[in-house]
């Protein structure tokens, strides 16, 4: 035989034209969006959300300052009213004290218990 | 009193002293305005009465004695009463709408922009008083002039 090797056996060879390609690739249908699209969407949504959050925080700070200044503008007004009331009550208390203690020798009505020139409001309220 | 960290509120007896102010102190009508109208007019009071308010607070910084700043305090109260009267005379409808909105919305400014804009406009055209919030970042519109705010009655 012509294709017999000289040493008497037949060499096993691939078929003519070679073997068919081995199908190792999975043939699953592609479903859904690609990874790039999913990651991109998530990042975009998160980014927009954080941006909005930042805007909201800025706005909250402004709203707080608005309230604070509204109150600051009212402080003199409220303080003035309260001062008048406190003055009226303290004068009345002083008059009462003078009347009650008029017979006690050496009593100084309205004298503070503190030895200071600083204003010290009365700690006692007489009802 | 407040100096002790608590208000003069006693549960068993009301804290009432019927004695009037001494006659040496000139009389001034107390404002008698509740919190919502005051809050509504606060920025106009701050603008209109800036001089007397600052004068009073400077006086108060000298000493805390209530007798020390009675004259300045009277000016403050008269000025505020004057302004409230003026606003009520010229912008009663807008003013009422705004403070009633505040009253009904937990006194949130942000819930009442719709009522606030006509009031601001009316007060500006009549008295040239403008609501300005100090400390707004440069170049930013003030929060009460913002076109589409995030926070109104609900968060958007």
């Amino acid at each position: 035989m012509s294709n017999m090797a000289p040493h008497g056996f037949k060499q096993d060879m691939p078929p003519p034209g070679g073997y068919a390609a081995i199908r190792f690739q999975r043939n699953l249908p592609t479903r859904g969006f690609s990874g790039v699209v999913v990651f991109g969407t998530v990042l975009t949504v998160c980014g927009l959300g954080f941006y909005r959050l930042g805007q909201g925080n800025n706005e909250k700070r402004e709203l707080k300052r608005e309230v604070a200044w509204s109150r600051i503008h009212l402080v003199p007004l409220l303080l003035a009213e309260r001062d008048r009331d406190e003055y009226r009550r303290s004068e009345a208390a002083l008059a009462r004290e003078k009347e009650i203690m008029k017979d006690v020798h050496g009593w100084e009505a309205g004298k503070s218990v503190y030895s200071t020139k600083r204003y010290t409001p009365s700690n006692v309220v007489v009802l | 009193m407040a100096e002790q960290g608590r208000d003069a509120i006693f549960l068993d007896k009301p804290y009432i002293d019927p004695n009037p102010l001494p006659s040496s102190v000139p009389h001034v009508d107390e404002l008698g305005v509740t919190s919502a109208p005051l809050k509504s007019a606060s920025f106009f009071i701050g603008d209109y009465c800036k001089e007397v308010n600052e004068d009073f607070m400077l006086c108060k910084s000298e000493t805390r004695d209530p007798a020390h700043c009675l004259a300045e305090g009277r000016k403050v109260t008269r000025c505020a009463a004057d302004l409230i009267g003026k606003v009520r005379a010229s912008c009663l409808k807008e003013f009422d709408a705004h403070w009633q909105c505040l009253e009904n919305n937990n006194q949130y400014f942000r819930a009442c922009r719709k009522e606030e804009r006509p009031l601001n406009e009316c007060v500006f055209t009549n008295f040239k008083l403008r609501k300005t919030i100090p400390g707004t970042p440069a170049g930013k519109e003030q929060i009460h002039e913002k076109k589409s705010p995030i926070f109104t009655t609900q968060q958007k």
Side-chain angles (χ1 to χ4, degrees), chain B residues 33-80:
Chain B
V33 179
T34 52
S35 59
L38 273 186
K39 192 164 182 176
S40 171
S42 57
F43 282 92
F44 307 130
I45 290 175
D47 197 357
Y48 187 69
C49 307
K50 194 165 188 288
E51 309 255 304
V52 283
N53 282 356
E54 282 176 358
D55 201 29
F56 177 71
M57 293 315 281
L58 279 174
C59 173
K60 286 301 287 184
S61 72
E62 287 167 9
T63 165
R64 293 169 60 210
D65 187 358
H68 185 59
C69 303
L70 287 175
E72 285 84 354
R74 281 194 296 277
K75 277 185 204 157
V76 167
T77 303
R78 286 207 189 94
C79 176

Side-chain angles (χ1 to χ4, degrees), chain A residues 35-94:
Chain A
V36 175
V37 173
V38 170
F39 274 110
T41 312
V42 167
L43 286 178
T44 313
V45 169
C46 285
L48 286 176
F50 274 110
Y51 175 72
R52 189 81 176 156
L53 177 70
Q55 299 281 303
N57 287 344
N58 288 347
E59 199 175 310
K60 260 190 199 170
R61 197 165 56 238
E62 297 296 307
L63 286 169
K64 268 190 187 165
R65 215 191 34 257
E66 185 185 22
V67 172
W69 274 100
S70 145
R71 181 71 191 186
I72 288 169
H73 288 319
L74 293 179
V75 162
L77 178 65
L78 302 172
L79 197 58
E81 185 168 336
R82 197 197 151 106
D83 269 3
R84 272 193 296 278
D85 190 49
E86 223 165 282
Y87 179 69
R88 179 179 69 84
R89 285 170 194 270
S90 65
E91 288 296 297
L94 188 64

Side-chain angles (χ1 to χ4, degrees), chain A:
Chain A
M1 293 176 73
S2 62
N3 62 344
M4 284 292 251
H7 32 62
F9 61 85
K10 182 184 174 191
Q11 174 69 43
D12 198 8
M13 294 293 283
Y19 293 109
I22 299 168
R23 290 179 56 206
F24 62 89
Q25 198 164 14
R26 298 199 300 171
N27 261 332
L28 296 175
T30 51
R31 294 168 61 235
F33 301 105
S34 75
V36 175
V37 173
V38 170
F39 274 110
T41 312
V42 167
L43 286 178
T44 313
V45 169
C46 285
L48 286 176
F50 274 110
Y51 175 72
R52 189 81 176 156
L53 177 70
Q55 299 281 303
N57 287 344
N58 288 347
E59 199 175 310
K60 260 190 199 170
R61 197 165 56 238
E62 297 296 307
L63 286 169
K64 268 190 187 165
R65 215 191 34 257
E66 185 185 22
V67 172
W69 274 100
S70 145
R71 181 71 191 186
I72 288 169
H73 288 319
L74 293 179
V75 162
L77 178 65
L78 302 172
L79 197 58
E81 185 168 336
R82 197 197 151 106
D83 269 3
R84 272 193 296 278
D85 190 49
E86 223 165 282
Y87 179 69
R88 179 179 69 84
R89 285 170 194 270
S90 65
E91 288 296 297
L94 188 64
R96 267 198 302 272
E97 189 180 338
K98 271 186 188 152
E99 175 62 23
I100 292 167
M101 302 302 283
K102 64 176 185 285
D103 299 329
V104 180
H105 179 68
W107 181 273
E108 290 178 55
K111 194 182 182 212
S112 172
V113 295
Y114 303 106
S115 171
T116 174
K117 282 181 187 143
R118 196 158 54 87
Y119 170 68
T120 48
S122 169
N123 290 322
V124 184
V125 172
V126 181
L127 291 172

